[in-house]
Amino acid sequence: MINISTLVQEKFLFLNKFIQSPKEVGSITPSSKYLARAMTRSVPWHGIQAAAELGAGTGAITEYIKNAAEEPTRILLFEKDPVLRSQLSEKYTGMACYSDACQIRKAMSAEGIGHLDLILSGLPFFNFPQPIRDAIMNEILLSLKPGGWFVAFQYSLQMKQQLSHYFDIEAIQFVPFNLPPAFVYICRKRGDGEDEL
């Protein structure tokens, strides 16, 4: 059952973080259940052994990942904000939490993970300076196995061109019931092994 008090607290916390750092948070409210569903339902979870969520925030999408992932899938969470990261660590004890999406491979090494089958991202890429955007994208590409999945939501189509340089964009889903409305990019890394999942 949904705890209304907790939900209100999360929305207030998220709004506060947005006011403090709008370019890093990217939205005034956590992702909706409609967006969380769109992010997770396109993934063939039966073939996912290791995954990461970038920009996990209050865990709005993390909860759906937890429910969708099959045992023994290993999941890494990345959240820059220390308060949000602490809350994620407390709530999702089976998932390792890290602070820097520019160091995905370092986190993987610490956890004994050789490659990722899936990366889900809620990072507001278009708000980041190009060098940071490039650094994160480089980490994503180097940590994902060939044929691996990259599922990301954005609030515009401005990242489509950059993503198409690195991935095969299999679909873009529009989610109107989110604040603000969002686009979900469902992508796969090019290379051998695309039929492994």
Side-chain angles (χ1 to χ4, degrees), residues 76-132:
L76 305 178
L77 302 178
F78 291 83
E79 175 51 53
K80 185 175 183 179
D81 185 88
V83 174
L84 296 177
R85 190 169 63 253
S86 176
Q87 290 182 354
L88 288 166
S89 293
E90 289 178 16
K91 187 172 182 181
Y92 301 101
T93 54
M95 303 180 189
C97 293
Y98 290 89
S99 62
D100 192 353
C102 288
Q103 297 187 7
I104 299 172
R105 288 173 298 157
K106 186 175 180 181
M108 289 167 58
S109 178
E111 299 295 325
I113 297 172
H115 65 259
L116 296 175
D117 304 297
L118 164 70
I119 295 177
L120 299 108
S121 174
L123 295 175
F125 279 103
F126 212 73
N127 290 355
F128 298 158
Q130 191 66 46
I132 292 177

Side-chain angles (χ1 to χ4, degrees), residues 26-161:
S27 173
I28 62 171
T29 187
S31 302
S32 70
K33 63 183 179 182
Y34 305 102
L35 181 54
R37 285 175 189 155
M39 290 284 287
T40 55
R41 72 181 169 208
S42 59
V43 175
W45 289 99
H46 63 276
I48 305 299
Q49 297 178 345
E53 182 188 6
L54 312 183
T58 60
I61 294 174
T62 314
E63 187 67 20
Y64 281 76
I65 293 171
K66 183 185 83 169
N67 293 332
E70 299 180 2
E71 291 289 343
T73 303
R74 300 187 63 191
I75 299 166
L76 305 178
L77 302 178
F78 291 83
E79 175 51 53
K80 185 175 183 179
D81 185 88
V83 174
L84 296 177
R85 190 169 63 253
S86 176
Q87 290 182 354
L88 288 166
S89 293
E90 289 178 16
K91 187 172 182 181
Y92 301 101
T93 54
M95 303 180 189
C97 293
Y98 290 89
S99 62
D100 192 353
C102 288
Q103 297 187 7
I104 299 172
R105 288 173 298 157
K106 186 175 180 181
M108 289 167 58
S109 178
E111 299 295 325
I113 297 172
H115 65 259
L116 296 175
D117 304 297
L118 164 70
I119 295 177
L120 299 108
S121 174
L123 295 175
F125 279 103
F126 212 73
N127 290 355
F128 298 158
Q130 191 66 46
I132 292 177
R133 198 188 312 174
D134 291 341
I136 295 173
M137 195 59 65
N138 189 55
E139 282 292 303
I140 290 168
L141 288 166
L142 291 173
S143 60
L144 262 184
K145 74 173 188 179
W149 297 84
F150 178 60
V151 181
F153 77 81
Q154 298 288 286
Y155 298 119
S156 74
L157 293 173
Q158 291 173 303
M159 280 295 292
K160 182 178 179 182
Q161 184 175 359

Side-chain angles (χ1 to χ4, degrees), residues 10-12 14-16 18-19 25-30 155 179-180:
E10 286 183 356
K11 286 181 180 286
F12 180 78
F14 209 87
L15 177 61
N16 187 43
F18 175 79
I19 291 169
V25 177
S27 173
I28 62 171
T29 187
Y155 298 119
L179 185 63

